[in-house]
Amino acid sequence: MTAAPDSPILTFHRLIEQARPPMRADRSAIGTLPTRAFRYCEAVTTATAFGWYVFPPIGLTLMWDGNQVFWTYDGAEHDGWIPLNGSAQFPYFAQTFDAVAPEGIKGFSPPFLSALREPGVVQIWSGLVARTIPGWGLLVRSPPNLPRGHYELYEGIIETDRWFGPLFSNIRLTKTDVQVRLEPDYPIFQAVPLPRSLYSDETMHSVAVKTRLADLTEDDWADYEDTVVRPNVDPNRQRGAYAMRTRKRRKGDAPHAVMAGSDED
């Protein structure tokens, strides 16, 4: 597949219309970062804004008793917990899917929740399908620097330029007999488009590890002096200088100039 020259790198398709659309991650972690970090720590704010927030398509609560996962959701017709035996569809979505899907695809709506074999691990579908242009994949990860409850997210990189399917993630409940609430307006994971070259073996192997202090060159020591020593001995140093330099440099960078049309492995 070849992308048109003006195609966006990443396209989200929302299949569950009740779901909140993805939102560009913001530098403040939805207002949860400490003020000092937000103002002066460019490293933290850059990582925080790296990607798109993806939300659960409905408010739901999970609980794991050490043996089985139970769940319930906002607007459930019946009170009490629902055992998650195998997979569960999003409420009424299967009928909606079959009403639109072509023949041969009807009956194959993605499950909303699935209990995996590993204890306390649940696969959750965002209600989205994602596609990237050739040569790009999608990192699905925990929203950086954003607090969460008693669960951990398994991270993964999906070849979304070749695989067009439900955008889901796996979460591991970390505490038994504790209700884990997933709000529909609070991100459950973050999606980051990445050029395949970024995570290729060639890139990962292009690393040097120097093991001795004596390996530092004169240039290394000079850079260390500029970065660490001078700011600490200058009584008039300006706070946030690194952040200002980084932002200024970023304004001059070309947008997504990283082999956007390449499909090489």
Side-chain angles (χ1 to χ4, degrees), residues 5 28 38 42 72 87 130 137 140 171 174 227 237 241 245 254 260 264:
S28 72
F38 177 67
E42 188 68 15
T72 187
S87 297
V140 175
I171 65 174
T174 58
T227 302
R237 71 186 180 101
R245 289 196 303 269
E264 297 180 1

Side-chain angles (χ1 to χ4, degrees), residues 3 39 61 65 144 157-158 224 258:
R39 291 186 62 186
T61 307
D65 67 1
I157 297 177
I158 309 169
Y224 185 88
V258 193

Side-chain angles (χ1 to χ4, degrees), residues 212-230:
R212 300 181 306 156
L213 186 62
D215 290 333
L216 293 177
T217 66
E218 290 186 6
D219 287 342
D220 293 331
W221 284 118
D223 290 341
Y224 185 88
E225 183 179 13
D226 286 341
T227 302
V228 178
V229 179
R230 288 181 181 172

Side-chain angles (χ1 to χ4, degrees), residues 140-146 148 151-155 169 188-190:
V140 175
R141 60 163 305 180
S142 234
N145 304 318
L146 196 63
R148 57 183 177 272
Y151 69 90
E152 297 292 338
L153 196 79
Y154 287 92
E155 300 189 6
S169 189
I188 188 172
F189 59 82
Q190 195 151 318

Side-chain angles (χ1 to χ4, degrees), residues 106-130:
K106 298 180 188 296
F108 286 90
S109 59
F112 173 46
L113 294 176
S114 298
L116 304 187
R117 294 181 179 180
E118 294 75 13
V121 179
V122 178
Q123 186 176 96
I124 179 170
W125 178 40
S126 62
L128 304 174
V129 173

Side-chain angles (χ1 to χ4, degrees), residues 4-108:
D6 58 347
S7 295
I9 289 175
L10 169 61
T11 300
F12 292 107
H13 295 270
R14 186 178 64 170
L15 274 59
I16 296 178
E17 295 184 4
Q18 300 97 312
R20 178 172 180 170
M23 183 181 80
R24 173 66 198 275
D26 75 297
R27 296 167 62 84
S28 72
I30 320 181
T32 63
L33 276 186
T35 301
R36 195 159 62 94
F38 177 67
R39 291 186 62 186
Y40 301 118
C41 191
E42 188 68 15
V44 167
T45 56
T46 298
T48 303
F50 186 44
W52 284 74
Y53 289 144
V54 176
F55 304 87
I58 196 172
L60 70 151
T61 307
L62 301 168
M63 187 169 64
W64 175 46
D65 67 1
N67 180 49
Q68 186 172 26
V69 174
F70 299 83
W71 74 295
T72 187
Y73 59 94
D74 293 352
E77 294 180 354
H78 305 288
D79 294 334
W81 293 98
I82 307 167
L84 185 57
N85 298 316
S87 297
Q89 285 280 325
F90 186 85
Y92 308 110
F93 179 71
Q95 299 92 316
T96 302
F97 182 90
D98 288 349
V100 176
E103 293 296 332
I105 299 180
K106 298 180 188 296
F108 286 90

